[in-house]
Amino acid sequence: MIETNNDKKSIVVFYVITLLISAVVEGITIITGCRATILILMWSPGIVGIICSRVFYPKQQALGIKKFKPRYLLLAILIPNAYLIPSYMISWAILKDPTIGVDELAHRITNGIAFDIPGICVLFIAFIPMLILSMVTAAGEELGWRGYAFPILARLYGTPKAILINGSIWAVWHMPIILSGQYQASVNIIYGLISFFIEVMILTIIFCWSRKTSGSVIPAIILHATHNLVDQSYLQTLSTNTNVPYLSGEQGIITIIVGALVAIVLYFQLSKLC
C-alpha cells in the first residue's frame, strides 16, 4: 500500500517544481526557437516524478512501473487507432483530400530507401521501431502526469476530480508552446487553444483509465506513444489539404467527437472500479 500522509505535500511539490522547470525550458524554446529543448520539456514531469517518488515514497512503487496483463498492451495500440483513423478518413472524404498515398508515405518514412514490398507492409514493419522511439518521449510525460500525479490526486480528491485536475494542468502546460507557434500551429489560434484543451481532457480520461485499470503506467506510455506516432507521423503526413487539422488530429473537431465516444465508454468502465 502507498502511504498517504505525504500526499498533499508531495503533489504540491511535484506540480510546483514541474511547472517552474517547464516555464524555464519553454521560455528558452520560445526565445531561441531550438526544437531540441522540447525533449527536455517532455521529460520534466517524468524527472520530477522520479525524484518525488524517491523522496516521498521511498519504499513504494509510486510511479506504477509494474507488470500488467497483456491485453492492455494490445488496447494501448488499438485505442488511438480507433479514434484517429476513422476521424481522418471522414475528414479526407469531406475535404476530398486525395492524400499522398501509402507508397509515398512509406518512401518518406524510410528516407527514400527502396523496398521490394508494398508500401503498406513497410509501414507495418516500421511501426514497432518507430513506436519504441516515440515511447522515449512519451515516457517523460506519462511517468509524471499519470505515473506519479494521477494516483495521488485520486486518493486525495477521487477519480473524477483527479482526471479534471490532471488534464487541466497537462493542457495548460502545452499552451506557451502553442501560443508561440512552435506546436500545433496549423489552425486559428483561438480555435486551436479551445479544441486542444478539449482533446487533452479526452486523452486524459483514456490515459487515466489505462493507468487505473492496468495498475501500471506502462500501458499509458504506449497509448501516448501510439497516439503521437499514428497522428503525427502517419495520418498528418498522409494528408494534403491544409484544412485537415480543423477536422482531425489534436485540434480536429471530428477527432474530438470520436475520441469523446471512446472516452465515455472507458470512463463508465472506470467509474465501476471507484
Side-chain angles (χ1 to χ4, degrees):
M1 291 290 292
I2 298 290
E3 297 176 1
T4 60
N5 293 338
N6 290 326
D7 282 351
K8 286 187 177 180
K9 182 179 179 180
S10 67
I11 198 63
V12 170
V13 169
F14 167 77
Y15 275 123
V16 168
I17 295 178
T18 297
L19 295 177
L20 285 175
I21 293 174
S22 298
V24 172
V25 176
E26 286 175 325
I28 294 172
T29 303
I30 293 168
I31 293 170
T32 64
C34 178
R35 300 288 297 175
T37 54
I38 296 295
L39 180 60
I40 300 174
L41 177 64
M42 295 183 73
W43 263 95
S44 297
I47 292 172
V48 177
I50 291 169
I51 294 172
C52 285
S53 70
R54 293 298 87 205
V55 172
F56 293 104
Y57 310 100
K59 298 180 181 180
Q60 288 82 33
Q61 293 180 315
L63 293 175
I65 303 176
K66 303 175 182 178
K67 292 181 179 180
F68 56 93
K69 294 181 179 179
R71 68 170 177 267
Y72 290 104
L73 171 60
L74 181 61
L75 287 170
I77 294 174
L78 291 179
I79 288 173
N81 284 282
Y83 59 78
L84 285 170
I85 292 177
S87 65
Y88 270 91
M89 292 181 70
I90 293 170
S91 69
W92 292 335
I94 291 173
L95 298 172
K96 296 181 171 56
D97 187 337
T99 78
I100 64 172
V102 171
D103 290 339
E104 176 60 24
L105 176 61
H107 181 77
R108 294 186 186 186
I109 283 178
T110 58
N111 292 318
I113 299 175
F115 293 92
D116 193 23
I117 55 176
I120 190 68
C121 295
V122 174
L123 296 180
F124 274 112
I125 293 170
F127 183 83
I128 296 301
M130 290 178 69
L131 179 63
I132 293 172
L133 288 175
S134 184
M135 287 173 63
V136 171
T137 53
E141 291 194 58
E142 291 307 313
L143 285 171
W145 303 136
R146 257 64 64 180
Y148 183 79
F150 172 67
I152 298 174
L153 290 170
R155 290 196 298 270
L156 288 171
Y157 307 111
T159 297
K161 287 184 179 179
I163 291 173
L164 181 61
I165 296 169
N166 191 269
S168 297
I169 295 176
W170 186 34
V172 172
W173 178 79
H174 286 87
M175 295 306 178
I177 297 298
I178 295 177
L179 286 168
S180 71
Q182 298 193 44
Y183 181 67
Q184 298 294 336
S186 301
V187 301
N188 172 274
I189 188 65
I190 301 300
Y191 170 84
L193 289 173
I194 295 172
S195 60
F196 183 83
F197 186 91
I198 296 171
E199 174 68 13
V200 166
M201 295 305 298
I202 290 169
L203 293 179
T204 301
I205 294 172
I206 296 172
F207 295 174
C208 288
W209 165 85
S210 175
R211 174 72 171 93
K212 181 79 171 181
T213 57
S214 70
S216 172
V217 72
I218 298 173
I221 294 172
I222 300 170
L223 265 167
H224 194 152
T226 303
H227 170 91
N228 287 349
L229 173 59
V230 174
D231 182 32
Q232 299 170 13
S233 298
Y234 281 18
L235 299 175
Q236 282 185 20
T237 306
L238 268 171
S239 306
T240 62
N241 193 302
T242 56
N243 288 319
V244 166
Y246 283 94
L247 300 182
S248 299
E250 291 185 351
Q251 295 163 307
I253 186 62
I254 297 176
T255 301
I256 287 174
I257 294 171
V258 178
L261 294 175
V262 173
I264 288 170
V265 172
L266 297 179
Y267 180 80
F268 277 110
Q269 183 190 32
L270 182 60
S271 64
K272 295 177 182 178
L273 301 175
C274 303

